[in-house]
Amino acid sequence: MDRINYALEGLVFDIQRFSVNDGPGIRTIVFLNGCPLRCEWCSNPESQLLRPVVMFNELECIHCKACLSVCKQGAISPENKALIDYSKCVGCGECSLVCPVDALVMKGRKMTIEQVVKELKKDGTNYRRSGGGLTISGGEPLMQHEFTKELLKAAHAQGWNTAIETTACASEEVIRDVLPHVDLALADVKNMDAQVHKQYTGVSNEQILSGIQLISQITNICVRVPVIPGFNDKKEDIKRIAQFAKTLNQEHLKGVNLLPYHSLGENKYKMLGRDYLLHGVKMIEKEDISVLKDVVEQSGVNCRIG
Ligand code: SF4
Ligand code: SF4
């Protein structure tokens, strides 16, 4: 077996235990910083940069002004809409250290593989009993591909199941290096139209679609579709995605999951001084998502909602 570099550091912005929706059994999700996409509906906008970010919770602030004097970038001022001018902020975290309440919270901290595995071991018994394990998410885990690979190897060394949630927006070399260590890839297909994809996510879909093709040759794959009103909620949009799913390696394809749009991340945009572009967009009705599920199934592909 390959040696594992337990001292390797990565940038982790969250660890969530007891997940049952992101792969088989009971799982822990390790969220990594960095993403090449900028999806308008992203529910983890704090994950997008490949560095720590500070979030400002206005409701907690007691206006003591302790943060103002420590910022060497001059990024903090009561004049700023969200206290922090993010065009100047470099994510050093000094302000969060002096804040006497939890109004300034850093997202993203360096952790070694050893430290993450120590966290995961708390649920080792649950993984073994339920067939669960580790899911690496983000952001895009393949942006920190060396760290992702070492963490997957470390999980396998413990006998745990491994999964990643990926945009598949990565080079062929990276996919070939990391995916052999993954038991299940949960890969997003957002829209088959390259121009529409670019308009709503900031990148075209060519590399993503070829990345997903490649992943399906290497390991088990579940195609996930975040269904977003006005972006990909028409029958024709979903039919094209189902037809694409049929071109994947059918031995590895576990089906298509339709994930109805939600606006749970909206408040985070405010905490990052950003506008939420989908403000006011309504949730998708249950009946409408069932119709889309039928469209996938009529194409001969298994489909699940959620
Ligand atoms: S994280 Fe650093 S640069 Fe950003 S606002 Fe706080 S002190 Fe200033
Ligand atoms: S240090 Fe914290 S509580 Fe004080 S003004 Fe800054 S954000 Fe508000």
Side-chain angles (χ1 to χ4, degrees):
M1 187 182 283
D2 277 358
R3 285 179 58 141
I4 298 162
N5 180 1
Y6 283 97
L8 187 69
E9 283 186 332
L11 204 51
V12 177
F13 80 87
D14 203 3
I15 295 180
Q16 288 177 9
R17 299 167 66 191
F18 305 113
S19 164
V20 289
N21 295 318
D22 303 277
I26 296 170
R27 315 191 67 82
T28 299
I29 312 180
V30 176
F31 292 88
L32 303 186
N33 288 73
C35 186
L37 276 65
R38 293 292 179 268
C39 303
E40 290 188 0
W41 55 88
C42 178
S43 55
N44 291 327
E46 74 275 34
S47 73
Q48 292 173 343
L49 295 179
L50 194 49
R51 66 158 172 78
V53 295
V54 60
M55 298 178 85
F56 173 56
N57 187 349
E58 193 179 0
L59 295 176
E60 296 290 335
C61 178
I62 54 172
H63 308 285
C64 68
K65 299 189 177 168
C67 54
L68 268 64
S69 56
V70 296
C71 181
K72 295 186 181 72
Q73 308 301 320
I76 304 183
S77 161
E79 311 298 315
N80 296 330
K81 190 172 126 195
L83 188 71
I84 295 166
D85 178 346
Y86 282 91
S87 66
K88 294 181 182 168
C89 174
V90 294
C92 71
E94 292 298 321
C95 54
S96 69
L97 295 177
V98 298
C99 181
V101 289
D102 280 337
L104 292 165
V105 177
M106 290 306 292
K107 287 291 179 178
R109 63 183 169 124
K110 281 187 179 168
M111 291 182 81
T112 62
I113 297 290
E114 186 178 9
Q115 287 169 325
V116 178
V117 170
K118 194 173 167 196
E119 278 297 303
L120 297 172
K121 278 184 175 172
K122 292 176 184 170
D123 293 304
T125 308
N126 289 328
Y127 305 154
R128 271 185 286 279
R129 283 191 184 147
S130 68
L134 163 70
T135 298
I136 309 182
S137 184
E140 169 49 62
L142 297 177
M143 268 191 93
Q144 298 189 55
H145 71 273
E146 287 295 346
F147 185 79
T148 293
K149 182 174 76 172
E150 293 304 299
L151 188 52
L152 293 165
K153 281 162 54 182
H156 270 169
Q158 297 289 330
W160 303 331
N161 180 274
T162 64
I164 63 167
E165 294 180 333
T166 180
T167 65
C169 189
S171 70
E172 181 180 334
E173 189 188 359
V174 164
I175 290 173
R176 287 192 188 281
D177 192 34
V178 176
L179 270 293
H181 304 283
V182 173
D183 297 317
L184 175 66
L186 304 158
D188 274 14
V189 178
K190 303 174 203 296
N191 200 302
M192 295 303 293
D193 184 301
Q195 270 190 337
V196 175
H197 195 282
K198 183 159 189 185
Q199 185 187 342
Y200 282 80
T201 71
V203 303
S204 188
N205 61 5
E206 286 96 350
Q207 186 182 32
I208 289 170
L209 297 178
S210 59
I212 290 172
Q213 291 274 6
L214 178 58
I215 290 173
S216 81
Q217 298 304 321
I218 300 171
T219 191
N220 295 319
I221 184 166
C222 178
V223 169
R224 282 182 154 182
V225 186
V227 183
I228 314 298
F231 168 66
N232 64 359
D233 61 334
K234 303 281 175 294
K235 282 188 194 175
E236 188 53 31
D237 298 320
I238 300 301
K239 190 174 173 189
R240 288 181 71 188
I241 292 174
Q243 285 167 346
F244 170 74
K246 286 207 79 174
T247 69
L248 303 177
N249 181 348
Q250 298 298 299
E251 275 179 35
H252 285 154
L253 180 66
K254 299 300 167 197
V256 168
N257 282 11
L258 300 178
L259 308 175
Y261 166 75
H262 62 75
S263 58
L264 294 179
E266 181 164 357
N267 194 43
K268 292 181 181 177
Y269 285 79
K270 194 172 172 210
M271 295 169 79
L272 291 165
R274 289 170 56 180
D275 292 327
Y276 184 64
L277 298 177
L278 299 190
H279 177 73
V281 169
K282 294 205 169 60
M283 307 286 166
I284 294 183
E285 300 291 337
K286 222 173 168 184
E287 302 79 55
D288 294 336
I289 201 90
S290 294
V291 169
L292 298 179
K293 179 173 183 273
D294 291 344
V295 168
V296 177
E297 288 173 341
Q298 280 157 15
S299 301
V301 179
N302 287 336
C303 184
R304 194 162 73 85
I305 297 171

